Amino acid sequence: MRIDVLQHVSYEGPAGIARILEEGGHVIRVTHLYAGDPPPDAAEISALVVMGGPMSVHDTGDYPWLSDEIALIRNVVDRAVPVLGICLGAQLIAMALGARVYRGERKEIGWFPVSIPREEPISRLTADWPEEAHVLHWHGDTFDLPRGARLLAGSQAYPHQAFEVYGYVVGIQFHLEMMDRNVREIVENSRNELVPGAFVQSEEEILRGVGRSEVPLVMLRGLLGRWVTSATQEIAGRTPRGGSDE
């Protein structure tokens, strides 16, 4: 299956997502929105991954393609196309589904734990995730859960860290996809955001976390396997929703 990826900056690419999906025989097509690539045609998308970036979903004046991207996400969700969003990508999904996205009270940058709810029935998408995991965060915005969404993870700083809607749309605020090289790249390009705060680690602390990416990648592999299964099921016969507010 071909999986489309929307990328917002050069240093936040699909990384581990691409590696895992390509190992599974899937083809990755990346649209570099920041470089002027036109967004793909919604009718040609079988599954969509929306990556992170330093901008806000509200920065449409500086990044006009954000408006088109939000409309595209809404369109593919209405077509029952599986969508996975990472960090900014999760915020874009939330906005596309009518939820509020806003600046948080604090930045959350560095390796901090998330807790995974274990209320029955457990989500099939995150069934093999541990009850707590140290993962990389890099955000200052947050979101309300879209209507009908199920919470998949939360942290001390922000209770809304991951969600699923309809069983095939997933938003994850933290970074499971970053391998060691990607952690170094985001530090190199975004170290200006490392201002002192209760949930902001220093550059040295973040880089000492290089090597912690193995557990997040295991979590990502399990999630992607079930998410791709949902994608093939959607292709096989799900009826388009006809509107994100249903």
Side-chain angles (χ1 to χ4, degrees):
M1 181 173 64
R2 189 186 71 199
I3 298 173
D4 279 276
V5 175
L6 303 180
Q7 186 169 335
H8 306 107
V9 288
S10 61
Y11 53 90
E12 291 198 48
I17 294 173
R19 186 180 79 175
I20 291 168
L21 291 176
E22 288 172 345
E23 287 174 355
H26 303 287
V27 176
I28 306 299
R29 180 175 70 171
V30 180
T31 298
H32 300 272
L33 295 170
Y34 63 94
D37 289 356
D41 185 340
E44 298 178 355
I45 297 175
S46 299
L48 180 67
V49 177
V50 188
M51 296 310 304
M55 62 285 294
S56 163
V57 298
H58 302 290
D59 290 342
T60 52
D62 294 327
Y63 308 98
W65 40 263
L66 282 170
S67 297
D68 293 335
E69 183 178 14
I70 292 167
L72 174 65
I73 294 169
R74 186 181 301 115
N75 190 337
V76 296
V77 170
D78 288 346
R79 290 172 177 267
V81 171
V83 183
L84 169 64
I86 303 297
C87 200
L88 172 65
Q91 297 161 10
L92 288 164
I93 292 172
M95 172 162 279
L97 297 182
R100 184 172 66 114
V101 180
Y102 52 97
R103 184 169 299 282
E105 295 181 358
R106 59 189 69 84
K107 287 183 179 293
E108 186 178 33
I109 303 177
W111 298 92
F112 296 104
V114 292
S115 57
I116 289 82
R118 280 294 177 255
E119 292 83 3
E120 296 289 346
I122 296 173
S123 169
R124 67 178 186 83
L125 292 172
T126 57
D128 63 350
W129 283 14
E131 292 188 8
E132 184 175 279
H134 272 76
V135 295
L136 181 66
H137 303 259
W138 204 298
H139 70 101
D141 288 358
T142 188
F143 48 80
D144 293 338
L145 292 179
R147 188 172 123 192
R150 176 176 184 162
L151 183 67
L152 297 179
S155 72
Q156 182 180 353
Y158 286 102
H160 296 164
Q161 287 284 358
F163 63 87
E164 68 170 280
V165 193
Y166 312 134
Y168 60 89
V169 177
V170 184
I172 302 175
Q173 180 96 294
F174 44 92
H175 292 276
L176 295 178
E177 84 288 359
M178 288 194 175
M179 297 180 285
D180 294 349
R181 173 177 58 83
N182 308 114
V183 175
R184 295 187 183 95
E185 286 178 348
I186 195 171
V187 168
E188 177 67 27
N189 286 277
S190 302
R191 56 168 51 98
N192 62 300
E193 297 184 48
L194 299 178
V195 297
F199 295 95
V200 178
Q201 292 179 341
S202 68
E203 178 176 338
E204 291 74 19
E205 288 175 302
I206 294 171
L207 292 177
R208 278 202 299 271
V210 168
R212 286 182 175 174
S213 61
E214 194 54 40
V215 170
L217 284 172
V218 169
M219 294 169 64
L220 178 65
R221 186 178 295 277
L223 172 71
L224 286 175
R226 286 179 284 275
W227 180 74
V228 167
T229 299
S230 76
T232 57
Q233 290 171 346
E234 301 308 324
I235 293 169
R238 180 180 287 271
T239 302
R241 298 191 57 80
S244 297
D245 293 332
E246 291 184 2

Coordinates of all heavy atoms in Angstrom, one line a residue, residues 1-3 17-29 221 224-225 228 232:
M1 N 0.8 -1.2 0.0 CA 0.0 0.0 0.0 C 0.9 1.3 0.0 O 1.9 1.3 0.6 CB -0.9 0.0 1.2 CG -1.9 1.2 1.3 SD -3.1 1.1 2.7 CE -2.0 1.1 4.1
R2 N 0.4 2.3 -0.7 CA 1.1 3.6 -0.6 C 0.6 4.4 0.5 O -0.7 4.5 0.6 CB 1.0 4.3 -2.0 CG 1.9 5.6 -2.0 CD 1.7 6.4 -3.3 NE 0.4 7.1 -3.2 CZ -0.2 7.5 -4.3 NH1 0.3 7.4 -5.5 NH2 -1.4 8.2 -4.2
I3 N 1.5 5.0 1.3 CA 1.0 5.8 2.4 C 1.6 7.2 2.2 O 2.8 7.4 2.0 CB 1.5 5.2 3.7 CG1 0.9 3.8 3.9 CG2 1.2 6.1 4.9 CD1 1.4 3.1 5.1
I17 N 8.7 6.0 11.4 CA 7.5 5.6 10.7 C 7.8 5.0 9.3 O 7.3 4.0 8.9 CB 6.6 6.8 10.6 CG1 6.1 7.2 12.0 CG2 5.3 6.5 9.7 CD1 5.3 8.5 12.0
A18 N 8.6 5.7 8.6 CA 9.0 5.3 7.2 C 9.8 4.0 7.3 O 9.5 3.0 6.5 CB 9.8 6.3 6.5
R19 N 10.7 3.8 8.2 CA 11.5 2.6 8.3 C 10.6 1.4 8.6 O 10.7 0.4 7.9 CB 12.5 2.7 9.4 CG 13.5 1.5 9.5 CD 14.5 1.7 10.6 NE 13.9 1.3 11.9 CZ 14.6 1.2 13.0 NH1 15.9 1.5 13.0 NH2 14.0 0.9 14.1
I20 N 9.7 1.5 9.5 CA 8.8 0.4 9.9 C 7.8 0.1 8.7 O 7.7 -1.1 8.4 CB 8.0 0.8 11.2 CG1 9.0 0.8 12.4 CG2 6.9 -0.3 11.4 CD1 8.4 1.4 13.6
L21 N 7.2 1.1 8.1 CA 6.3 0.8 7.1 C 7.0 0.3 5.8 O 6.4 -0.7 5.2 CB 5.5 2.1 6.7 CG 4.6 2.6 7.8 CD1 3.9 4.0 7.4 CD2 3.5 1.6 8.1
E22 N 8.1 0.8 5.5 CA 8.9 0.2 4.3 C 9.3 -1.2 4.6 O 9.3 -2.0 3.7 CB 10.0 1.2 4.0 CG 9.6 2.5 3.4 CD 10.7 3.5 3.2 OE1 11.8 3.3 3.8 OE2 10.5 4.4 2.5
E23 N 9.7 -1.5 5.8 CA 10.0 -2.9 6.2 C 8.8 -3.8 5.9 O 9.0 -5.0 5.6 CB 10.5 -3.0 7.6 CG 11.9 -2.4 7.9 CD 12.2 -2.4 9.3 OE1 11.4 -2.8 10.2 OE2 13.4 -2.1 9.7
G24 N 7.6 -3.3 6.1 CA 6.4 -4.0 5.9 C 6.0 -4.1 4.4 O 4.9 -4.6 4.1
G25 N 6.8 -3.5 3.5 CA 6.5 -3.6 2.1 C 5.6 -2.4 1.6 O 5.2 -2.5 0.4
H26 N 5.4 -1.4 2.4 CA 4.6 -0.3 2.0 C 5.5 0.8 1.3 O 6.7 0.9 1.6 CB 3.8 0.3 3.2 CG 3.0 -0.7 3.9 ND1 1.8 -1.1 3.4 CD2 3.1 -1.3 5.1 CE1 1.3 -2.0 4.2 NE2 2.1 -2.1 5.2
V27 N 4.9 1.6 0.5 CA 5.5 2.6 -0.3 C 5.2 4.0 0.4 O 4.0 4.2 0.7 CB 5.1 2.7 -1.7 CG1 5.8 3.8 -2.5 CG2 5.5 1.3 -2.4
I28 N 6.2 4.8 0.7 CA 6.0 6.1 1.3 C 6.1 7.2 0.3 O 7.1 7.2 -0.4 CB 7.0 6.3 2.5 CG1 7.0 5.2 3.5 CG2 6.8 7.6 3.1 CD1 5.7 5.0 4.2
R29 N 5.1 8.1 0.2 CA 5.2 9.2 -0.7 C 5.2 10.5 0.2 O 4.2 10.7 0.9 CB 4.1 9.3 -1.7 CG 4.2 10.5 -2.6 CD 3.1 10.5 -3.7 NE 1.8 10.7 -3.2 CZ 0.7 10.9 -4.0 NH1 0.8 10.8 -5.3 NH2 -0.5 11.0 -3.4
R221 N 5.9 0.6 16.5 CA 5.7 -0.6 15.6 C 4.4 -1.3 15.8 O 3.7 -1.6 14.9 CB 6.9 -1.5 15.8 CG 6.9 -2.7 14.8 CD 8.1 -3.6 15.1 NE 9.4 -2.9 14.8 CZ 9.9 -2.8 13.6 NH1 9.3 -3.3 12.5 NH2 11.0 -2.2 13.4
L224 N 1.6 1.1 14.5 CA 1.5 1.1 13.0 C 0.9 -0.2 12.4 O 0.2 -0.1 11.4 CB 2.9 1.4 12.4 CG 3.4 2.8 12.6 CD1 4.8 2.9 12.1 CD2 2.5 3.8 11.8
G225 N 1.3 -1.3 13.0 CA 0.8 -2.6 12.5 C -0.7 -2.6 12.5 O -1.4 -3.0 11.6
V228 N -2.2 0.2 10.1 CA -2.2 -0.2 8.7 C -3.3 -1.3 8.4 O -4.0 -1.3 7.4 CB -0.8 -0.8 8.3 CG1 -0.9 -1.5 7.0 CG2 0.2 0.3 8.2
T232 N -6.2 -1.0 5.5 CA -6.6 -2.0 4.5 C -8.1 -2.4 4.7 O -8.8 -2.6 3.7 CB -5.8 -3.3 4.6 OG1 -5.9 -3.8 5.9 CG2 -4.3 -3.0 4.3

